């Protein structure tokens, strides 16, 4: 199968291409600034319809896994024009092309399509984003659903993994680095999430792509925790000093974009339909530790 992964230099995309190249697939790795280290690199700009069109029609992929996005929630709030171009218009172009080519489109969406008042969200629960990032991703979902293309929308929550990607560090690595260096960290006790290990998510997405699983799926980790509990579990797993983790509340934060309080996701539909199940946080953190240890050993 020919698979194009957009955002292949990112936290999720880089893991998908790494795992997919070990399988019997031909992998194309879409990027913008940072050349991906697996798959056949293919550069395009989601702001530029021509470059997207050229890249995808040349490949004629069976599946497009669309991970690329403007993902910084505060940047999305302050630069809505750029966010619209990348997260809304870019998705529209991709959906139009997959429709023409009869390719299967897998779109990575977010728990931030919800307002966070309820938690444990199921796929058909009412969406109501409270920031522009969530709004832009929800519009991407709607555009795909309205285009005549076979699609899967996978909503995920706070992704983490063993390596920095696309020039950024993820929450888990940020926390581990700070605690290792004996620095205090302020962590929210009143924001609830379903932390998602990129390896587990990438495996679910590849299985779903192979099966052409259609519709909306919540594909997150199987445990709901507060950011604070997540941080404590990370500290426990990596044997780090938990007293450096200081409690703060959402109201103490001075962010440009509002954050929803509880966007934990109910993953029972994915659990039912996939062989590769969403895993519990404790198991995911053990796997994360193994991946970091292996990477360290290979580097030493
Ligand atoms: N990370 C999370 O916690 C989280 C939570 C919920 C949902 N999601 C969704 O999951 C998906 C993957 O997130 P991620 O954290 O893996 O992303 P990421 O690490 O921030 O990477 C973003 C990717 O998008 C590419 N990109 C950005 N602007 C582009 C442009 N104009 N043209 C082409 N490519 C462009 C980047 O390419 P370069 O590196 O080459 O610039 C990079 O590969 C996103 O759709 C995001 O909305 C993420």
């Amino acid at each position: 199968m020919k698979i194009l992964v957009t955002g292949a230099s990112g936290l999720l995309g880089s893991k998908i291409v790494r795992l997919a190249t070990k399988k019997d697939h031909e992998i194309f790795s879409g990027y913008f600034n940072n050349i991906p280290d697996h798959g056949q690199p293919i550069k395009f700009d989601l702001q530029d319809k021509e470059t997207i069109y050229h890249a995808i029609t040349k490949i004629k992929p069976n599946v497009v896994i669309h991970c690329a996005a403007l993902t910084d929630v505060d940047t999305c709030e302050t630069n809505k024009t750029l966010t619209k171009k990348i997260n809304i218009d870019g998705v529209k172009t991709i959906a139009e092309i997959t429709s023409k080519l009869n390719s299967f489109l897998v779109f990575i969406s977010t728990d931030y399509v919800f307002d966070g008042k309820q938690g444990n969200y199921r796929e058909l629960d009412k969406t109501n984003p409270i920031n522009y990032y969530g709004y832009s991703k929800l519009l991407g979902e709607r555009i795909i659903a309205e285009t005549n293309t076979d699609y899967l929308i996978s909503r995920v929550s706070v992704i983490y993994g063993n390596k920095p990607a696309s020039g950024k560090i993820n929450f888990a690595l940020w926390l581990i680095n700070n605690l290792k260096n004996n620095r205090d960290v302020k962590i929210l006790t009143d924001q609830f999430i379903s932390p998602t290990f990129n390896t587990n998510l990438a495996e679910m997405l590849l299985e779903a792509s192979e099966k052409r699983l259609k519709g909306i799926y919540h594909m997150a980790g199987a445990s709901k925790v507060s950011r604070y509990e997540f941080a404590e579990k990370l500290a426990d797993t990596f044997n780090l000093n938990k007293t450096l983790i200081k409690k703060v509340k959402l109201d103490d934060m001075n962010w440009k974009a509002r954050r929803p309080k509880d966007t934990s996701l109910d993953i029972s539909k994915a659990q039912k339909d996939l062989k590769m199940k969403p895993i519990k946080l404790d198991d995911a953190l053990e796997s994360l530790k193994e991946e970091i240890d292996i990477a360290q050993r290979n580097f030493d």
Side-chain angles (χ1 to χ4, degrees), residues 81-93:
T81 308
L82 180 67
T83 309
K84 179 181 176 296
K85 280 187 190 158
I86 295 177
N87 289 2
I88 301 173
D89 302 344
V91 170
K92 187 167 192 291
T93 305

Side-chain angles (χ1 to χ4, degrees), residues 9 11-12 32-34 45-46 71 133 137 159 166 168:
S9 49
L11 176 59
L12 174 59
F32 182 42
N33 289 306
N34 302 289
D45 181 1
L46 280 170
T71 57
Y133 167 72
K137 298 291 290 188
I159 307 173
S166 190
K168 286 174 305 188

Side-chain angles (χ1 to χ4, degrees), residues 39-101:
Q40 301 176 45
I42 177 126
K43 183 174 168 126
F44 57 84
D45 181 1
L46 280 170
Q47 294 182 71
D48 181 347
K49 206 169 171 161
E50 282 306 303
T51 64
I52 310 173
Y53 197 85
H54 186 72
I56 306 186
T57 51
K58 203 169 118 197
I59 298 168
K60 296 192 177 51
N62 306 99
V63 177
V64 175
I65 307 182
H66 184 40
C67 301
L70 198 61
T71 57
D72 185 278
V73 177
D74 290 320
T75 306
C76 290
E77 204 66 23
T78 52
N79 198 340
K80 296 194 172 78
T81 308
L82 180 67
T83 309
K84 179 181 176 296
K85 280 187 190 158
I86 295 177
N87 289 2
I88 301 173
D89 302 344
V91 170
K92 187 167 192 291
T93 305
I94 288 189
E96 284 167 0
I97 302 169
T98 55
S99 164
K100 273 195 196 123
L101 296 176

Side-chain angles (χ1 to χ4, degrees), residues 74-144:
D74 290 320
T75 306
C76 290
E77 204 66 23
T78 52
N79 198 340
K80 296 194 172 78
T81 308
L82 180 67
T83 309
K84 179 181 176 296
K85 280 187 190 158
I86 295 177
N87 289 2
I88 301 173
D89 302 344
V91 170
K92 187 167 192 291
T93 305
I94 288 189
E96 284 167 0
I97 302 169
T98 55
S99 164
K100 273 195 196 123
L101 296 176
N102 211 7
S103 313
F104 185 54
L105 176 57
V106 178
F107 175 58
I108 313 304
S109 189
T110 173
D111 53 344
Y112 275 24
V113 296
F114 298 111
D115 61 21
K117 289 184 183 157
Q118 171 192 320
N120 293 316
Y121 287 100
R122 299 178 71 103
E123 284 77 0
L124 294 180
D125 282 339
K126 190 178 171 293
T127 51
N128 181 32
I130 62 165
N131 55 42
Y132 195 71
Y133 167 72
Y135 171 76
S136 70
K137 298 291 290 188
L138 180 61
L139 236 62
E141 288 190 7
R142 287 187 180 153
I143 286 166
I144 289 169

Side-chain angles (χ1 to χ4, degrees), residues 285-296:
L285 292 183
E286 281 310 316
S287 301
L288 173 71
K289 188 167 185 307
E290 261 171 50
E291 285 188 8
I292 290 177
D293 288 346
I294 291 168
Q296 194 75 48

